[in-house]
Amino acid sequence: MRIVAILASCWIAASAWAQAPAGDALDALTRFQNYEARRASSSNADLNRNGDARPIEAGGTLVLADLEGPGVITHLWNTVGTRDLFYPQSIVLRVYYDGADKPSVEAPLGDFFGLGHGAFTEYISSVTAVTSLGRSRTCYWRMPFRERIKLTATNESEEKVDSFYFYVDWQKHEQLPDDTAYFHARYNQAHPAQPGRYTLLDTRGHGHYVGTVYSALQNEVGWYGEGDDFFFIDGAETPQLKGTGTEDYFNDAWGFREFAAPYHGVPVYEGIFPGDRVSTYRWHIPDPVPFKESLRVEIEHRGSIFNDEGNLANFELGTFEERADWLSSV
């Protein structure tokens, strides 16, 4: 991934259109739907043939969908065939709304679907899932658009992508409610983290924050996740939401271990040694964080530091040292 973006995480600009709880979705099935179901996919133009994938040359860009609104994308799926073992990071997903030149979604493929480091593993959450030994990616985040939406996948590696299979399912509407919000997601990284807090998001506007994917490549022996999370809403000098530890923000406790739940999980946790990887997600679907003017979300990167043998070195319970791990987020 050869971009270092200034924003991070997932948020929705304006109001409404957060993913509905499962009960609401089931209730909606008892009412007639007022939209046309549409799909853009890699399906072969000749419906009698089986070659249902598209290639992406090294440095090339594939347009997954270029759609006229009003509409709402409801489902994304893809799988990839390539000799590049790091393609989850070297393929970059971008989404452009209403003819804008700047993408409102920009993230490596793997990170957008909830897995950092280009990792290959499986997990299932309420809105994203990775299966088939890490090769199949699914997303149900809603992406509404009034005029137009364009989705692209760019191959930033030097290796050709032989096969990119994809679905983009969407609803064609006559109109969208006036308060319809647009979905945004942005990749950020710090390699390594600098002294102070790591910024997940710093934005201005009206919206609500709906999710975090946070990954760490550890550079020192020990526990990296003692840092707290902070949400500064509408220019506040003191954060209105203050956390108690990295694993606490991700709804775990006393360190990490691998698990997956509907709204939070740790798909990747390898341990306490240099080179060990961690990747976590937290969806604010039942508890979005609204803002009217601005939002800044930060997390400390502090923890314990052990010596090379894994024994405690100058360590007391509650040690809270700055760590220079490699951090990334969407």
Side-chain angles (χ1 to χ4, degrees), residues 41-93:
S41 77
S42 57
S43 176
N44 196 311
D46 184 345
L47 300 183
N48 295 314
R49 303 190 64 175
N50 188 42
D52 292 326
R54 309 287 175 83
I56 313 177
E57 298 294 334
T61 295
L62 173 66
V63 176
L64 308 180
D66 190 353
L67 312 173
E68 293 186 6
V72 183
I73 288 178
T74 59
H75 169 239
L76 301 177
W77 168 88
N78 67 80
T79 190
V80 179
T82 178
R83 289 177 292 182
D84 176 16
L85 297 179
F86 299 98
Y87 78 81
Q89 285 198 308
S90 59
I91 297 177
V92 181
L93 178 69

Side-chain angles (χ1 to χ4, degrees), residues 219-223 272-274 303-316 319 321 323:
N219 285 332
E220 299 174 282
V221 181
W223 164 238
I272 65 169
F273 293 99
S304 59
I305 299 176
F306 298 4
N307 63 25
D308 290 340
E309 287 74 38
N311 299 315
L312 303 184
N314 301 318
F315 175 81
E316 297 178 359
T319 291
E321 303 294 334
R323 290 177 55 95

